Amino acid sequence: MDSWYKFKRVFLSVGVPPTFWLVAFFLVPLALIWVFSFGEKTGVVGIDITWTIDNYIRAFNPDILKIFAKSLWLAIAATVICLFVGLPVALGIVYAPSKWKGLLLLGIMLPFWTNLLIRTYALIAVLRTRGYVNFTLEWFDAKIRVLFDLFGMGGIATALLGERFQALELLYNDNAVILGLVYVHLPFMVLPLYAALERLDRSYLEASLDLGAGHLRTLWNVVVPLALPGIISGIIITFIPALGSFLTPDLLGGPDSAMIATIIERQFKSANDWPFGSALSFLLMYITFGALALRAVMAKRGGSDGLEG
Amino acid sequence: MTPIIGIQSITKNYGGEVLAVDDVSLDIRPGEFFALLGPSGCGKTTLLRMIAGFEVPSAGKILIDGQDMSNVPPNKRPVNMVFQSYAVFPHMTVADNVAYGLKMDGVSKSDAAGRVEEALGLVQLPGYGNRMPDQLSGGQRQRVALARALVKRPKVLLLDEPLSALDAKLREAMQLELRNLQATVGITFVMVTHDQDEALSMADRVAVMENGVVKQLAPPRDLYEYPSCRFVADFIGKMNLFQGKVTNSASGEITVGVDGIGDIRVPHDGAASGEIGIAIRPEKASVSAEKPEGADTVAIEGTIIQIAYHGDESHVFVKTDNGLTVSVTCPNRTRTIDDIANHGDRRWVSWNRGDTLVLAE
């Protein structure tokens, strides 16, 4: 590549628009929020920039910390489940007949093209008390009771299943939020895993089998270490948006499943406390930076095998 | 002697008309260096992968040491493979790579360490245990792959195009070394190659394959001097092939009329008639200014149309007046070119009648 000064015009025409975009619509607003986070609310719309760190100190009260911790827990749980669901799915696509691969990948990506709100409400329709999961369970419940009655053992059925069918409470709790986060973020996990596994030379797997390892040991000893950069990418790409989720906990969660984004939104809207909201936003960003730094460290350690993510 | 590998009517069909391997039966003897030779797509690699267990035969049986292996997965077969790409695990040290198979077999750490060092010594890499694969050259990585397979003491070692990724000089050295290694360890080696020179110089017996079928299975010398069909004659080494008609068939000898040469009497056992192929190796013929005499000499006259100089030898192409081209390999025995011929010269190409090959197929 020649130096930029040799083809000044080319570099200017290619470089200036994105730079302008980045500065005007990303860095400047971000800087504003950062400045707000050191301000004080003086009225309904007024903010005095006093360079106080009160907003950050306020964030370290137990209630907010609890929500941060809860957000972390929900995001980590969702990421781990995504990994355990996504790895077999990605492996399945990699080893599917080539004429199926495109279709299967399309199946993974299709949800991206559907509005998140619609998908979430669809999930509610499935999970609610009078939803499809409960309908199905109720149907099985009824059939089992009929079967037991047929053999004159209705008493046993009642003892096992209770007096009558109890609908499961699947919505408005932490489990619903985790399920929703997994549902929304699974493609983020599957795609980088797929990319990493697809690149993997099959002769490594065959060599492992040839040397006496079974499929599980090959997966653990060869596939996972060699796909590690992809796995870490998948974890990061899933974890970051999961941590900042707003819609999912808001719609699927119970009163105590609020995640940090819900609290931030509340500061900017109902509480009208922009400085505090800004401070919380930046705290969330620092956590994200931490995750990225962790990835960089891991990549450096994994980089010695000559396979880059 | 029971074969170490018995391939019985093996067919492999990937779906569709073409068979990758078409009803192949052959026996591989214990302790021999066996080569599967053929052009790409002839089914040799598929056959090797079926022995290893990576491909399942569509029909037929594979016996290893008398045991039917048809339903045995690759990790339970007493064979090990050296892959074309070597497939040395990049995230493990050399020692961990070599110890991998032993670990899978549950060999104790202390036993394994000794065997790993022994195997690395065998492939001339003693003390390389702590290196990572990306610190090794291609040739060294191949040695690691060899050690990794040999350390398990398999009944058969499978080698998939083992030398194809090495440069010419190293390849020649490795040919000798692999041969010696095989003699040292006494394990049966089965090698797949498309390089006839490699197969001839290394193997005890060679199976030449084309379109999923074994065309000839013989020791290298027989393969070269007595090819069974036109494909083998043409594939192994260089060959002048002529089409002719049997004009006379006596006991132990037939006369073949070839357009552009005339009648040639060649020794041939058994009867022959109709269209037939005859052939002569370029290095078995010679070029001379005078017509050579002798009852057992075949001689044809023509014009030299091309001389290709190869350093150790020259390839002279002579065209007969009837338009048939014969190539002759002339060794450059002396430093000063003795001007055997020049472009456009009239010369006689001759050879011993007994060196003529008759190819019925």
Side-chain angles (χ1 to χ4, degrees):
Chain A
M1 175 84 77
D2 284 296
S3 321
W4 64 273
Y5 49 80
K6 211 166 170 186
F7 297 103
K8 223 175 234 169
R9 260 187 240 166
V10 175
F11 274 83
L12 281 180
S13 58
V14 170
V16 164
T19 309
F20 171 78
W21 178 272
L22 209 62
V23 171
F25 298 111
F26 179 69
L27 288 180
V28 168
L30 204 65
L32 281 176
I33 295 292
W34 186 73
V35 171
F36 284 159
S37 74
F38 296 101
E40 269 174 74
K41 198 168 82 130
T42 55
V44 180
V45 288
I47 296 170
D48 256 4
I49 307 302
T50 55
W51 301 107
T52 168
I53 56 163
D54 267 1
N55 296 315
Y56 289 95
I57 292 169
R58 265 172 73 198
F60 283 90
N61 84 56
D63 287 342
I64 300 286
L65 283 181
K66 232 160 74 194
I67 290 167
F68 263 113
K70 178 139 213 170
S71 301
L72 275 173
W73 147 242
L74 290 174
I76 288 171
T79 306
V80 169
I81 295 172
C82 277
L83 181 61
F84 279 94
V85 176
L87 193 62
V89 171
L91 274 172
I93 298 174
V94 168
Y95 290 104
S98 47
K99 59 178 172 184
W100 286 100
K101 265 186 201 177
L103 216 60
L104 290 171
L105 280 176
L106 189 73
I108 295 292
M109 283 186 284
L110 210 56
F112 277 141
W113 303 334
T114 316
N115 185 292
L116 175 61
L117 201 61
I118 293 171
R119 278 188 284 155
T120 310
Y121 274 112
L123 200 57
I124 290 176
V126 171
L127 295 179
R128 65 186 169 194
T129 322
R130 305 283 307 151
Y132 294 103
V133 171
N134 277 317
F135 285 157
T136 311
L137 288 175
E138 195 173 0
W139 186 83
F140 276 113
D141 178 89
K143 293 296 165 208
I144 290 168
R145 279 167 206 273
V146 168
L147 203 68
F148 273 90
D149 277 341
L150 220 62
F151 293 100
M153 295 185 290
I156 297 172
T158 312
L160 281 174
L161 300 168
E163 205 54 54
R164 46 193 286 272
F165 176 71
Q166 290 282 325
L168 295 177
E169 293 299 332
L170 299 170
L171 267 183
Y172 311 123
N173 53 40
D174 290 353
N175 294 335
V177 176
I178 292 175
L179 185 71
L181 290 178
V182 170
Y183 169 56
V184 170
H185 295 100
L186 195 57
F188 292 103
M189 182 63 88
V190 172
L191 293 178
L193 285 182
Y194 169 79
L197 293 171
E198 181 68 36
R199 255 198 334 254
L200 200 66
D201 186 348
R202 302 242 175 130
S203 57
Y204 290 130
L205 315 190
E206 288 182 345
S208 171
L209 290 174
D210 186 69
L211 292 166
H215 282 96
L216 274 179
R217 287 212 277 183
T218 298
L219 185 71
W220 185 246
N221 288 318
V222 176
V223 178
V224 168
L226 290 181
L228 202 58
I231 291 173
I232 292 169
S233 293
I235 289 174
I236 297 295
I237 293 177
T238 310
F239 175 75
I240 290 174
L243 183 64
S245 287
F246 166 68
L247 200 65
T248 311
D250 204 45
L251 292 181
L252 301 177
D256 65 336
S257 338
M259 286 175 74
I260 194 65
T262 319
I263 304 302
I264 292 172
E265 187 250 13
R266 217 171 279 163
Q267 303 314 314
F268 282 101
K269 289 174 87 180
S270 50
N272 193 22
D273 191 347
W274 281 47
F276 187 44
S278 303
L280 289 178
S281 299
F282 266 87
L283 285 175
L284 181 62
M285 243 172 85
Y286 297 145
I287 294 176
T288 311
F289 287 159
L292 287 173
L294 205 66
R295 179 199 189 277
V297 171
M298 301 273 271
K300 216 177 231 170
R301 270 178 45 199
S304 60
D305 61 9
L307 289 166
E308 286 301 314
Chain B
M1 194 161 37
T2 51
I4 190 81
I5 292 179
I7 291 168
Q8 303 179 347
S9 309
I10 285 290
T11 294
K12 178 67 186 179
N13 187 349
Y14 283 111
E17 294 289 296
V18 186
L19 296 173
V21 175
D22 188 0
D23 195 21
V24 167
S25 294
L26 55 89
D27 284 343
I28 297 171
R29 299 171 190 151
E32 78 175 331
F33 199 132
F34 193 91
L36 290 164
L37 173 67
S40 57
C42 71
K44 57 191 191 302
T45 302
T46 308
L47 194 58
L48 191 81
R49 288 172 60 81
M50 284 194 282
I51 298 173
F54 298 128
E55 309 272 356
V56 182
S58 310
K61 258 203 280 193
I62 290 178
L63 306 180
I64 299 176
D65 206 12
Q67 307 261 323
D68 185 2
M69 288 285 150
S70 303
N71 296 311
V72 178
N75 50 331
K76 302 242 161 59
R77 295 192 183 201
V79 298
N80 285 109
M81 183 141 152
V82 175
F83 290 82
Q84 187 173 11
S85 61
Y86 313 146
V88 173
F89 303 129
H91 59 295
M92 295 182 194
T93 63
V94 167
D96 286 344
N97 262 286
V98 179
Y100 188 82
L102 298 176
K103 202 170 116 191
M104 295 305 135
D105 287 351
V107 174
S108 78
K109 270 214 169 110
S110 53
D111 284 358
R115 280 171 69 176
V116 166
E117 204 43 52
E118 189 192 341
L120 286 176
L122 205 60
V123 297
Q124 326 278 334
L125 286 179
Y128 275 67
N130 290 326
R131 306 263 184 112
M132 292 305 284
D134 59 3
Q135 297 170 293
L136 303 179
S137 69
Q140 289 171 327
R141 270 206 284 275
Q142 178 177 48
R143 287 157 192 271
V144 174
L146 262 170
R148 187 175 69 175
L150 283 173
V151 78
K152 292 200 65 179
R153 296 170 189 159
K155 287 180 176 161
V156 179
L157 184 75
L158 308 173
L159 302 119
D160 184 9
E161 301 271 4
L163 307 176
S164 62
L166 304 177
D167 60 68
K169 266 260 154 36
L170 193 57
R171 194 179 310 162
E172 210 162 308
M174 265 321 265
Q175 281 183 11
L176 280 174
E177 204 180 311
L178 269 178
R179 193 78 189 84
N180 292 337
L181 186 66
Q182 196 263 341
T184 311
V185 295
I187 292 171
T188 311
F189 278 29
V190 179
M191 174 178 77
V192 155
T193 180
H194 66 272
D195 183 336
Q196 38 124 345
D197 181 49
E198 220 167 273
L200 294 184
S201 65
M202 293 166 79
D204 296 316
R205 289 197 305 152
V206 181
V208 183
M209 292 184 71
E210 189 208 11
N211 294 334
V213 177
V214 174
K215 303 298 269 190
Q216 188 173 5
L217 198 173
R221 181 176 282 271
D222 290 356
L223 216 54
Y224 187 80
E225 302 293 2
Y226 302 98
S228 65
C229 62
R230 223 164 294 202
F231 174 78
V232 174
D234 200 32
F235 187 73
I236 311 257
K238 293 186 191 66
M239 189 66 100
N240 292 299
L241 279 164
F242 310 114
Q243 191 66 21
K245 230 187 192 100
V246 178
T247 55
N248 189 19
S249 175
S251 66
E253 189 181 279
I254 56 171
T255 308
V256 182
V258 180
D259 287 344
I261 297 180
D263 282 357
I264 301 174
R265 288 187 302 123
V266 289
H268 183 65
D269 291 329
S273 62
E275 289 279 319
I276 207 163
I278 66 164
I280 182 70
R281 293 275 182 206
E283 80 279 5
K284 296 207 164 42
S286 54
V287 177
S288 56
E290 303 295 321
K291 182 174 181 177
E293 297 302 324
D296 282 338
T297 306
V298 179
I300 42 181
E301 197 183 15
T303 309
I304 292 177
I305 53 165
Q306 198 179 3
I307 300 172
Y309 178 70
H310 284 265
D312 55 345
E313 58 193 27
S314 295
H315 298 167
V316 182
F317 295 85
V318 178
K319 194 171 189 176
T320 67
D321 297 339
N322 291 317
L324 208 66
T325 304
V326 186
S327 80
V328 180
T329 302
C330 303
N332 295 325
R333 283 212 192 80
T334 55
R335 208 176 202 180
T336 49
I337 295 173
D338 50 359
D339 195 32
I340 41 165
N342 279 309
H343 193 269
D345 285 353
R346 296 288 291 177
R347 281 292 184 275
W348 286 89
V349 174
S350 61
W351 66 87
N352 195 320
R353 231 156 45 82
D355 290 334
T356 319
L357 282 159
V358 177
L359 299 164
E361 291 179 46

